[in-house]
Amino acid sequence: MTSQMYLCLAIFAFMIVGYVVGPKFKISNGVIALCATVLVSFSGLVEPKTVLASYATTNAMQIIGMFIVAAGFNRTQAVKKMSSLVYKVSGGSFRIVLAGYVLMGFALANLGLSPMTTFAIIGPLAASCCADFDISPSKMIFPVALTCIGTAGSLPLGQGAITYATQNGYLESYGYTDYAMELLDPFKGRAIISVIIILYAIFVAPRFCPEQPSVAINLGSVKKKDGKEVPPLDPVREVLGYGIFIVTTLCLIFQKQVLPSAAPWQIAMMGAALVMFTGILNPKEGINAVPVRIVLMLAAAQSVGAALTACGLGDMIGNGIAGALGGTRNGYIIGAAFFIIPFLMTQCMNNASVGNIFRPILILTCKSLGCDPIGPLLLLNAASLTAFMTPMATGTVPIAMDLGGYDQKDLLKMGWLPSIIICVVSVLWVMTIFPAYH
């Protein structure tokens, strides 16, 4: 190894280790990413202008635009209206009530809200409903949480509409542009598993839930910010919030048909501009909607990726992992390797960190093997979302433990079967429709 390789490896290790241990010291992943970018800039591994350009990529612009558009939709009264509908159609049936909240969780988790935010909204509503219908919350809460976590971003809406752009940004960062992910690829890869999770949550999951809470229920973890209710929008802006979100999303889905001369990032930014111009979000709300941490992490990935490629370390790492896989051309083995290991790790550490650790390794390995990385990338994403057996992987689980009265034993009992199902079905389905070798 050359001195440049050692230097690049040190920066790469700093970024990866920082993503793992940084939060324990209250250092966000965004700060770690910014530090990694600065180190690359001063190291001389890549030119400063290349590092600077990593902050204003088309992928970053699209991500920023869609987050603002989604925030505009979330500012409307859509959530309250959907909750009222569940009460009206349930007729007192536990199964119908559960199905209503499961489907509501699926919808919100695919309209721009994170799983934790979705469940922080749906969870208390479901818990209150349990009291109204004399249902044990321990039977209701986990199935809803499972849906919020396992199906998030599976539709090409909100966050799901930018998944492909983010993944393409990483492929570009690590110099593997022979393949590119399409907008609907994440939907194709996760549609069947999302249906299975929804059906499992409604018809099977309650059987594995405890009859009564194992620990005292605590609602403190879901208090509203500042204890204040956000005032509703006026009728005109309410309608505009729905319309801008729907039109922007449809334009992104059918961009080649309706706006062939416009780039996806232009569509997203136009939607964001309309949200701000119409006053659906005020300036402070618009700024808060910008995902600075994600932009910083994507910029760091591009900068460090450029350094890995420039010094030759990337090829060496990929060749090493490829050698460990024995040069296999079996796509199911490749896919399983990049699902099972991240799945195990994401049960005891933040799922975003797991993705950040394995994504560059996955891309470099696929590059070395000369295989299509789209299927493995989709499996890595699914694995990092299959995190509901410990409270350490995602903020959704601690909230669910409070609302449902679960302990660690309950989580393991409720989580082992859906985990196996998700693993087996995901690998078989994804690597069949996105084969490693064509």
Side-chain angles (χ1 to χ4, degrees):
M1 287 180 58
T2 66
S3 59
Q4 283 190 321
M5 287 183 177
Y6 281 114
L7 179 58
C8 186
L9 181 61
I11 297 174
F12 180 73
F14 165 79
M15 183 177 71
I16 298 302
V17 175
Y19 285 151
V20 177
V21 304
K24 297 179 181 179
F25 297 95
K26 298 183 179 181
I27 302 175
S28 74
N29 286 343
V31 173
I32 297 297
L34 181 60
C35 291
T37 307
V38 171
L39 289 173
V40 168
S41 176
F42 279 98
S43 68
L45 292 168
V46 295
E47 295 184 9
K49 64 179 181 180
T50 301
V51 176
L52 182 61
S54 67
Y55 285 95
T57 63
T58 57
N59 291 315
M61 293 300 101
Q62 184 176 348
I63 290 170
I64 291 172
M66 282 308 300
F67 265 78
I68 294 175
V69 172
F73 178 80
N74 297 335
R75 183 66 178 79
T76 68
Q77 297 298 299
V79 173
K80 287 187 176 180
K81 291 178 180 180
M82 286 188 288
S83 179
S84 298
L85 182 62
V86 170
Y87 284 105
K88 290 180 180 179
V89 303
S90 65
S93 167
F94 167 74
R95 195 74 64 188
I96 295 177
V97 172
L98 175 58
Y101 280 106
V102 164
L103 293 175
M104 191 190 306
F106 170 75
L108 291 182
N110 284 278
L111 290 177
L113 293 176
S114 69
M116 185 178 73
T117 303
T118 297
F119 188 71
I121 295 171
I122 300 298
L125 297 177
S128 298
C129 184
C130 288
D132 294 337
F133 287 94
D134 195 25
I135 300 169
S136 172
S138 59
K139 288 289 187 182
M140 174 83 75
I141 296 301
F142 178 77
V144 177
L146 172 66
T147 305
C148 293
I149 295 171
T151 67
S154 57
L155 294 182
L157 305 169
Q159 180 68 31
I162 61 174
T163 298
Y164 82 104
T166 305
Q167 301 304 318
N168 286 338
Y170 284 112
L171 287 170
E172 181 181 351
S173 301
Y174 293 98
Y176 198 27
T177 56
D178 294 346
Y179 301 91
M181 190 175 291
E182 299 291 335
L183 171 63
L184 294 180
D185 285 351
F187 168 70
K188 294 175 183 177
R190 298 190 58 205
I192 187 171
I193 198 63
S194 293
V195 172
I196 290 174
I197 289 175
I198 290 172
L199 294 176
Y200 182 93
I202 296 173
F203 297 103
V204 181
R207 300 179 185 179
F208 291 85
C209 296
E211 292 295 331
Q212 296 296 328
S214 300
V215 297
I217 293 177
N218 174 26
L219 300 180
S221 62
V222 292
K223 290 181 180 178
K224 293 183 189 235
K225 186 177 180 181
D226 301 326
K228 298 179 181 179
E229 189 78 40
V230 179
L233 296 170
D234 61 69
V236 174
R237 289 186 174 87
E238 180 80 8
V239 173
L240 287 172
Y242 298 145
I244 293 172
F245 178 83
I246 293 171
V247 172
T248 301
T249 300
L250 290 176
C251 286
L252 282 172
I253 295 174
F254 302 106
Q255 177 258 327
K256 293 182 180 179
Q257 290 78 23
V258 298
L259 292 170
S261 61
W265 74 268
Q266 291 175 304
I267 296 173
M269 292 303 289
M270 178 57 72
L274 288 173
V275 166
M276 300 300 298
F277 181 77
T278 56
I280 296 171
L281 296 180
N282 61 42
K284 183 177 180 180
E285 291 171 332
I287 292 173
N288 290 338
V290 175
V292 176
R293 178 181 61 84
I294 294 177
V295 173
L296 290 174
M297 293 176 69
L298 186 57
Q302 291 203 233
S303 300
V304 175
L308 285 168
T309 302
C311 71
L313 183 60
D315 290 334
M316 189 177 74
I317 293 174
N319 290 332
I321 301 294
L325 288 174
T328 180
R329 293 183 64 85
N330 188 318
Y332 297 101
I333 294 177
I334 297 171
F338 285 108
F339 186 99
I340 294 174
I341 299 174
F343 161 75
L344 293 174
M345 291 185 64
T346 202
Q347 304 304 326
C348 57
M349 61 183 292
N350 183 270
N351 49 15
S353 298
V354 172
N356 292 327
I357 290 171
F358 279 95
R359 195 173 292 109
I361 297 174
L362 184 157
I363 294 172
L364 294 172
T365 300
C366 290
K367 183 179 180 181
S368 180
L369 290 170
C371 70
D372 189 334
I374 303 305
L377 280 172
L378 293 175
L379 286 172
L380 174 60
N381 186 49
S384 64
L385 290 174
T386 314
F388 38 75
M389 292 200 293
T390 75
M392 295 173 284
T394 169
T396 308
V397 176
I399 300 176
M401 294 178 75
D402 283 346
L403 293 177
Y406 306 125
D407 57 21
Q408 180 59 65
K409 183 179 178 181
D410 293 330
L411 293 179
L412 294 175
K413 179 182 177 181
M414 296 183 295
W416 71 268
L417 182 56
S419 296
I420 292 175
I421 293 173
I422 291 171
C423 176
V424 174
V425 174
S426 294
V427 172
L428 293 178
W429 172 253
V430 170
M431 296 313 297
T432 296
I433 64 172
F434 295 102
Y437 296 97
H438 303 278

